[in-house]
Amino acid sequence: MIRTLLVSATASLGLMACAHTVTAPDDASPINTENMSETARVLSSDEFLGRAPGTEGETKTVAYLIERFTDLGLEPGGRDGKWTDPVTLKHSLITDVRTLNVSQSGAVIPMEQARDIEISSPNPSATIKVENAPVVFVGFGASAPERDWDDFGDIDLTGKVALFLVNDPDFGVAEDDPISGLFGGRRMTYYGRWAYKFEEAARRGAVAALVIHETKAAGYGWNVAASSPGENYAVAGTGAKKAPVDLQGWLHEDMAKKWIAEAGYDLDALRIAARKRDFQAFTLGDLRFNADLGLSVETVESQNVLGKITGTTRPDETIMLSGHWDAYGVGEPDAEGRTVRPGANDDALGLAGIMEIARNLKAGPAPERTVVFAAWTGEESGLLGSEAYAQNPVYPLDKTVANFTLDILQTAGPAHDVIQVGEGQSELEEMMAAAAAKQGRTISPEGLPENGLFYRADHFSLARRGVPVLLIMGIAGGSDLVDGGREAGDAWVADYIGNRYHNQYDAWDPNWDLRGAAQDVELFLDMTRDLANSETWPELKASSEFKGLRDASAAARE
Ligand SMILES: [Zn+2]
């Protein structure tokens, strides 16, 4: 039923010259599901070794992506006419904990890594020493001028440890609380993410940033928070304006209570105080943090892969489509002895979708604006390939019209709806609703807005610098499937997250029903085509945390 609405777009399908094209009979969509399946099958096959950055799996993956981009007729999209853009990653592990404690007037509270605290270094060296650093309780640590909220006042964090509450100030407050809804209510805002908190601490000169773990507000238990104690991946110095903190991580709630009690306060009372507008960060008594740590540090050379179609009349204005090529590599054998974590849905299928968009665009008239196709590295280690790009972009971000990211596509068949991740960010949301309506589909909100998915995929590296973005992620919520409704959509998500996510079972399956994934890909194709042939600059909404940033570069777009 939905498929019959798409007939107009099929006329050019038979003309494709790409070597990988298979024309699917009886398929009214411009997105060829057999092509998508084949791309995902190759990328998730054993010889790609789970596509871990810096391994032989990367060499094979990058070669395959370049071959496909070439076959599709794209131009190299990296610097100096290259297909690839180098990304240097730093991997570090705390291997030797010589000292780790807090003290207050002579009383020492020792801590054990992974049990009481989970710290790692995004700014690693062989030894990290922090001696007698004062501890500042910063509440939720939000500096949000668009919400007229500032937890910091004029406190100086230089050389100190910043101690944060998890999530954002209105999480879990009563409906009649004066700040209810100010930070998105149940939906997490950027201020709730640990990534924001660590960076805010770094901007203010702190040596360490710790977030007090609470299961409900974090969205996961301590076992998850402390699952890789002491390990960190970061982008190696590429022009970030401010060096990160030396140490960052989680403080167990029980340990946080001890610290705070030792300093003469009560954690529950501080939580209440931090939810008030007049809260100001303050130093916790004479509490001092001490650490003497030995680390192993290794450098991993990796690369993003970039292709493009140059715009005919406004080549300096770009629309970007992206996915990530990396997956989880080789791990411990499962019950059947399999070690490769193939990342078939995540995100071989996303890349397959990007290639179908490229194929369709190349089949039509050249766009007026430039369309860039990016396959990022290091997503699973912390959005690192996209972050490296955003720190040092090939195409200026203030003239990047939009980024569309595909990360994990559902394989359970056509759907009546598309799940929107994040809300109140940009005018792309209304554009997506209009494009979905053309498909006979509607927009549904994400399933667990408190998990802050909007802040947890590659599009966010661009979003946080003011670029309007959309993410389609098959696990953002159960779709209303044509066959089986919401219940079947929820069941697919539950099976994927429970049994396949990031493990050996995220494997290619010849029985996938990719018609729903194709609908989602077609949505981005449609929006890309519209934007690439218009003079529209979608704007950020007043409720976006990043509107100020985008507005600051408005002159570049006039
Ligand atoms: Zn992914």
Side-chain angles (χ1 to χ4, degrees):
M1 300 132 279
I2 284 173
R3 319 290 295 167
T4 59
L5 298 172
L6 310 174
V7 171
S8 64
T10 58
S12 58
L13 246 190
L15 302 173
M16 305 301 129
C18 166
H20 297 263
T21 301
V22 183
T23 303
D26 307 321
D27 187 351
S29 170
I31 304 303
N32 186 308
T33 53
E34 289 179 35
N35 286 350
M36 285 183 62
S37 180
E38 177 61 10
T39 302
R41 185 192 66 77
V42 173
L43 281 170
S44 59
S45 60
D46 273 358
E47 68 172 302
F48 286 75
L49 300 165
R51 307 190 303 278
T55 68
E56 194 191 330
E58 164 160 357
T59 309
K60 290 207 162 113
T61 302
V62 169
Y64 173 76
L65 293 173
I66 292 173
E67 181 197 318
R68 291 296 312 278
F69 280 5
T70 305
D71 281 353
L72 287 163
L74 301 183
E75 306 150 55
R79 272 164 259 260
D80 308 321
K82 293 202 174 101
W83 288 106
T84 56
D85 206 29
V87 177
T88 304
L89 308 176
K90 260 194 182 175
H91 174 219
S92 68
L93 182 66
I94 295 174
T95 50
D96 187 13
V97 179
R98 294 181 282 261
T99 304
L100 188 55
N101 66 47
V102 287
S103 60
Q104 156 97 18
S105 351
V108 175
I109 304 175
M111 288 180 288
E112 194 178 303
Q113 170 84 309
R115 185 191 67 187
D116 305 315
I117 191 169
E118 194 288 309
I119 43 170
S120 66
S121 178
N123 189 24
S125 55
T127 298
I128 291 183
K129 264 191 184 177
V130 179
E131 282 178 286
N132 279 319
V135 179
V136 177
F137 178 74
V138 300
F140 293 91
S143 170
E146 79 288 354
R147 285 163 168 83
D148 190 24
W149 187 283
D150 174 24
D151 287 328
F152 294 95
D154 48 17
I155 196 154
D156 180 11
L157 293 185
T158 308
K160 299 176 186 170
V161 176
L163 183 61
F164 291 83
L165 293 170
V166 67
N167 214 308
D168 52 33
D170 72 349
F171 180 81
V173 300
E175 257 175 49
D176 59 355
D177 190 288
I179 67 158
S180 174
L182 183 65
F183 287 83
R186 191 180 148 215
R187 180 168 54 80
M188 187 187 273
T189 64
Y190 187 33
Y191 307 106
R193 294 281 306 150
W194 49 257
Y196 165 79
K197 296 173 195 278
F198 296 159
E199 283 170 13
E200 191 61 40
R203 274 190 286 274
R204 293 167 185 276
V207 288
L210 293 167
V211 180
I212 299 170
H213 180 265
E214 297 166 55
T215 298
K216 202 168 161 215
Y220 41 83
W222 177 255
N223 58 330
V224 173
S227 62
S228 314
E231 188 172 30
N232 192 283
Y233 286 89
V235 177
T238 56
K241 283 192 194 99
K242 185 82 192 169
V245 289
D246 286 341
L247 290 171
Q248 67 185 34
W250 292 100
L251 187 62
H252 195 285
E253 191 175 3
D254 295 343
M255 182 51 65
K257 282 181 183 157
K258 279 191 202 167
W259 285 28
I260 287 167
E262 195 64 36
Y265 297 90
D266 172 69
L267 177 57
D268 292 330
L270 291 189
R271 276 199 194 103
I272 292 166
R275 291 197 166 100
K276 303 232 180 329
R277 250 188 211 286
D278 61 0
F279 171 81
Q280 293 268 284
F282 65 94
T283 304
L284 281 172
D286 196 31
L287 206 61
R288 301 297 167 116
F289 179 88
N290 300 287
D292 180 1
L293 309 165
L295 293 85
S296 72
V297 185
E298 84 182 313
T299 298
V300 178
E301 298 295 346
S302 188
Q303 53 220 310
N304 292 324
V305 182
L306 296 162
K308 68 173 171 177
I309 302 172
T310 302
T312 51
T313 56
R314 293 187 300 288
D316 59 329
E317 302 173 5
T318 53
I319 292 132
M320 176 178 264
L321 291 142
S322 54
H324 65 89
W325 65 251
D326 66 304
Y328 269 79
V330 175
E332 294 299 311
D334 67 4
E336 292 159 47
R338 295 185 299 180
T339 54
V340 172
R341 296 175 287 197
N345 291 70
D346 183 10
D347 186 29
L349 256 185
L351 292 180
I354 302 259
M355 292 198 198
E356 274 300 286
I357 292 172
R359 185 179 66 79
N360 274 276
L361 291 178
K362 283 299 289 182
E368 294 169 16
R369 287 166 155 166
T370 295
V371 182
V372 175
F373 302 85
W376 308 123
T377 180
E379 192 273 351
E380 303 291 9
S381 319
L383 319 182
L384 299 181
S386 55
E387 172 63 21
Y389 175 89
Q391 286 180 14
N392 185 20
V394 180
Y395 307 91
L397 300 186
D398 47 12
K399 297 197 87 170
T400 300
V401 180
N403 169 277
F404 297 116
T405 294
L406 293 170
D407 193 353
I408 306 179
L409 298 179
Q410 61 94 344
T411 48
H416 293 300
D417 61 354
V418 55
I419 311 290
Q420 181 182 300
V421 180
E423 193 190 306
Q425 288 289 342
S426 80
E427 292 173 352
L428 291 175
E429 293 162 22
E430 282 70 32
M431 293 179 63
M432 181 159 84
K438 281 199 261 172
Q439 298 180 307
R441 296 204 295 166
T442 54
I443 302 290
S444 294
E446 60 190 305
L448 291 169
E450 60 268 47
N451 284 0
L453 262 192
F454 182 80
Y455 311 98
R456 294 166 59 181
D458 284 318
H459 65 294
F460 186 62
S461 297
L462 300 154
R464 53 182 286 218
R465 293 174 171 90
V467 176
V469 301
L470 282 179
L471 166 70
I472 289 183
M473 183 177 263
I475 55 170
S479 295
D480 178 7
L481 297 179
V482 170
D483 188 5
R486 184 84 56 204
E487 202 179 322
D490 285 341
W492 184 87
V493 173
D495 170 66
Y496 184 80
I497 292 180
N499 301 319
R500 305 174 197 285
Y501 192 40
H502 294 167
N503 70 28
Q504 285 88 337
Y505 295 90
D506 186 3
W508 177 77
D509 183 340
N511 298 316
W512 277 344
D513 184 343
L514 292 177
R515 290 176 297 164
Q519 289 176 308
D520 290 344
V521 173
E522 190 192 0
L523 201 60
F524 277 178
L525 167 63
D526 192 28
M527 295 177 72
T528 300
R529 211 180 245 142
D530 279 355
L531 279 174
N533 294 302
S534 85
E535 294 182 10
T536 306
W537 294 99
E539 290 200 22
L540 297 193
K541 295 183 174 176
S543 46
S544 169
E545 302 91 323
F546 316 104
K547 181 171 170 54
L549 270 175
R550 187 65 165 176
D551 288 352
S553 68
R557 293 183 291 282
E558 268 156 23

